Each structure stands twice: as structure tokens, then as C-alpha cells.
Amino acid sequence: MKIKIEQWDGQYDDACAMQNIAELCNPILGTMDRQNILHFYRGVTKGFAQSTLIAKLKNEICGYALLCPGASEHTVRLVGGVHPDHRSKGIATKLYTEILERIKQHPSKTEIQSGTLKSCPAGTLFLKKLGFTQVDQGHWSSRSVTAPFPSWAIEKVMQFEKASLTIVLGSEFETLRADWDREWWSLMMSANKDIPSTIPFQPIPFEIWRPRLNPPFLNRNHSLIALDELTPIGVLHLDDVVNGKINICYTGTASSHRRRGISTVLKIKSFELAKKLGAHTIGTFNHHKNPMLHINKRLGFEQQEVNLEYLKILK
Ligand SMILES: CC(C)(COP(=O)(O)OP(=O)(O)OC[C@H]1O[C@@H](n2cnc3c(N)ncnc32)[C@H](O)[C@@H]1OP(=O)(O)O)[C@@H](O)C(=O)NCCC(=O)NCCS
């Protein structure tokens, strides 16, 4: 059977086809609202349009592979998948061979990172065969939004309130300071330096990062900012409710305010917000060496899936 590899036409139908495959390959991710799909794919592949590829069998999209910015300026991230009905036909190998050709248009990129679920042995075998080495792990976990809070967490909320710290919605924070977006960026960039990832994080310039404060990347009504007077000292992002589940996509505390319960209080407030938004379950993803994993376990999150992270140095 003839497999055809084509560049994504940048249009809605093929973006939906890619996302359908992505969701079949990663059920833990849930379903993305198709209204946002075009904006999402155009956003993540910005600068890599020529490396956003679809594989077709008899004119039907059966696989895709794309490149997007990685964790450092030398790293590019490879994302892709093959429809379960069309596995073991050489589609992923063909996509990867073409991706390697297209990476040559980005000579500054010397490493490729990629990930696969631990529950998908085909994914790990595929990446190993291509010469990728496992460098990291991330854990998906979830809890009911109505599960009771442990007493130590309630104690941290009381200490937080005593210290006259407050929590506001992201949409409210933007009415409090003219430079709210720069402050948000600066807090996240400095907190991200401490994520214990094997691939060191490099700050993203404000102008490039700024669109991430807008849908489909962020709903500011679904985000919380912890404030010390008007200075943001903690941030938490929730995504949208899908089939009763909502994910915490990010939590960070300013290094000046760590170990004062800020992220614990943000989590507790996020459970309340999640409930208000109609979710029954809240999910999250953590690097396996991140103290956040420990906080989450103590708050009653239970592990559901493990993501394995791989890296390959390009010759
Ligand atoms: C992880 C992070 C958000 C924790 O924020 P925080 O506000 O300091 O956390 P809390 O004060 O609520 O901590 C609650 C409990 O978690 C555990 N904990 C937090 N940080 C820890 C650390 N560095 N080492 C060990 N345990 C830690 C402790 O049990 C702590 O309770 P204790 O202080 O009474 O012992 C913060 O270190 C951070 O911003 N890191 C960089 C960004 C990041 O990794 N974000 C998470 C991934 S999205």
C-alpha cells in the first residue's frame, strides 16, 4: 500500500484529523475543543510549518508528525502518532525519515526530544530503535474535586490568610496592574528555572511567549494568581472541563515565597474553582523529581499514567 507524506495544508479538517489521532494515542489528554484546533496547531507549529506532516493511505490521514520548540534553544520537540488501525505498516518510520530531512532547515537545532506513554510499549520500542535515550519521566495523576482536604493543608490556608496574602482570578489580576502580562511572564520564567528537568529550561522572550496568555493556550478565567499586595508570587493554570475532568496545567511559586504553602493554597482554591466550573475530577502532570509530586500525593492525587521523555542528539 502506498503511503503518501504531505505537508499539513494549515487548514481545519486536517488539523482535526491530526488531533483525532493524537487523542487516540494519548487518551489521558482528554478531548480538545475543536473550535480552538486551528489556532492551537498554527500556534504550536509556528516557525516549523514545513515540518508539520501528515501521512495518507488511500487519501485518508492515518498518521502525523510535527516539530515544535523544545525545552532549550538547541532542542526541537517531535510529536506524532499513527492511527491504531494502521500500525506496523512503516508509517511512523516514513514520517520520521521525512522529519529528519526537514530538521536540516533548522541548523541551530542539535537535539530532538519526544515522549511516549509507559503503557504504550510500541512507542518506547520505536523511539529506542531510532536512537533516542530515555532522560526523564512525568506522572499523570488525578483526584476527585470533592475529596476532603487534609488538616495540614487547611492549616496552610489559615497561615496564608493570616499573612494577608490573597488569591485572584487571572482575569481580575489584569485589571489591577497595567504591566500584568509582563509580571505573569516574569514569575513563570523565574519559577521554571527550578523545574528539575534533565533538559535545562531557557527563558522565552516576552514577545514570543505573550500569545500563551490567550486562548487556546490559556483561559484567564481559569487561572489563579497569588498576590503579596500587588506583586504576583504564585500562579496556577487550569484548562477547560472535558467530560467532567479538568487539568492543572501549571503551578509555580516565586522563589522568594517558597515553603510558605502558596502552591498548596493555590491547589485548594483550584479544586473550588474546578467544582464551580462543573468538573468532578481534577488531573495534573508532574516531573518525577518535582516536589510538586509529593505535594499532590499528600493532597490525595493518585497516579494514572507515566509519560517517558526521550532525547536524541543529532549528528
Ligand atoms: C514546586 C513549587 C510550586 C512548590 O511551591 P511552594 O509554594 O514552595 O510549595 P508549598 O509551600 O505549598 O509546599 C507544600 C509542601 O510540599 C513539599 N515541598 C514543597 N517544596 C519542596 C521542596 N523543594 N523539597 C521538598 N518538599 C517540598 C513540602 O512537604 C511542603 O510542606 P512543608 O513546607 O510544610 O514541608 C515551587 O517549588 C516551584 O515553583 N517550583 C518551580 C516550578 C515548578 O516546578 N512547578 C511545578 C510543575 S508545573
Side-chain angles (χ1 to χ4, degrees):
M1 235 179 298
K2 181 104 176 92
I3 304 158
K4 273 186 12 195
I5 306 292
E6 295 173 8
Q7 188 174 321
W8 173 43
D9 60 5
Q11 300 304 314
Y12 177 80
D13 287 349
D14 288 3
C16 287
M18 289 195 282
Q19 186 59 21
N20 291 344
I21 295 172
E23 287 168 9
L24 285 167
C25 297
N26 300 282
I28 191 87
L29 294 182
T31 316
M32 187 191 283
D33 185 343
R34 295 304 188 255
Q35 262 188 337
N36 293 330
I37 207 87
L38 200 48
H39 198 42
F40 175 77
Y41 274 96
R42 285 184 183 167
V44 289
T45 62
K46 203 165 175 215
F48 294 95
Q50 82 293 350
S51 312
T52 307
L53 305 177
I54 51 171
K56 284 186 174 172
L57 265 178
K58 293 188 186 158
N59 241 10
E60 189 195 325
I61 297 180
C62 54
Y64 78 101
L66 61 84
L67 294 178
C68 55
S72 83
E73 59 182 309
H74 306 296
T75 318
V76 73
R77 182 164 193 88
L78 169 67
V79 181
V82 172
H83 192 288
D85 293 346
H86 296 293
R87 303 246 165 107
S88 304
K89 292 178 183 169
I91 295 169
T93 305
K94 204 148 185 196
L95 280 164
Y96 181 70
T97 308
E98 187 57 33
I99 281 284
L100 281 186
E101 275 307 305
R102 309 247 172 165
I103 283 182
K104 291 179 188 159
Q105 295 171 32
H106 303 277
S108 65
K109 306 293 178 193
T110 52
E111 301 174 341
I112 320 181
Q113 69 183 109
S114 192
T116 185
L117 298 180
K118 197 175 181 182
S119 63
C120 174
T124 52
L125 286 170
F126 178 70
L127 289 174
K128 275 186 196 160
K129 192 175 153 200
L130 297 177
F132 281 79
T133 309
Q134 194 196 316
V135 288
D136 257 334
Q137 272 186 38
H139 292 220
W140 291 97
S141 52
S142 70
R143 95 195 274 284
S144 153
V145 292
T146 52
F149 305 131
S151 55
W152 65 266
I154 294 167
E155 179 61 29
K156 288 209 187 282
V157 176
M158 280 155 58
Q159 282 167 8
F160 179 91
E161 284 165 358
K162 247 195 239 159
S164 300
L165 304 173
T166 49
I167 290 190
V168 295
L169 280 177
S171 49
E172 199 181 332
F173 177 56
E174 67 191 75
T175 65
L176 301 178
R177 288 183 68 136
D179 59 351
W180 65 274
D181 50 359
R182 272 195 184 268
E183 284 291 307
W184 200 316
W185 165 76
S186 149
L187 172 59
M188 284 182 66
M189 291 307 116
S190 66
N192 285 353
K193 284 190 212 135
D194 299 325
I195 296 179
S197 168
T198 309
I199 305 167
F201 172 79
Q202 283 186 344
I204 305 165
F206 176 72
E207 289 67 29
I208 295 175
W209 180 87
R210 178 63 180 79
R212 298 190 193 183
L213 280 177
N214 291 333
F217 302 103
L218 182 71
N219 180 341
R220 297 199 291 275
N221 282 313
H222 294 191
S223 57
L224 299 169
I225 304 278
L227 294 174
D228 186 347
E229 300 191 341
L230 284 183
T231 304
I233 49 160
V235 58
L236 181 145
H237 298 171
L238 286 173
D239 62 7
D240 292 317
V241 182
V242 177
N243 299 329
K245 187 176 179 198
I246 195 163
N247 288 309
I248 299 173
C249 307
Y250 182 80
T251 316
T253 299
S255 52
S256 55
H257 284 70
R258 299 246 168 101
R259 301 306 282 267
R260 288 172 57 181
I262 311 294
S263 75
T264 306
V265 179
L266 280 166
K267 294 256 158 160
I268 287 186
K269 298 290 172 194
S270 78
F271 301 158
E272 289 167 6
L273 178 58
K275 212 180 336 173
K276 254 194 233 158
L277 294 169
H280 53 67
T281 303
I282 190 154
T284 190
F285 178 81
N286 302 111
H287 186 271
H288 66 132
K289 288 190 191 144
N290 200 310
M292 188 52 89
L293 191 60
H294 182 59
I295 303 176
N296 287 338
K297 274 188 189 155
R298 290 177 73 203
L299 284 172
F301 279 86
E302 285 176 16
Q303 186 179 304
Q304 291 194 299
E305 180 58 278
V306 175
N307 189 65
L308 304 176
E309 192 66 16
Y310 285 82
L311 189 71
K312 179 174 171 169
I313 312 290
L314 293 167
K315 298 257 157 48

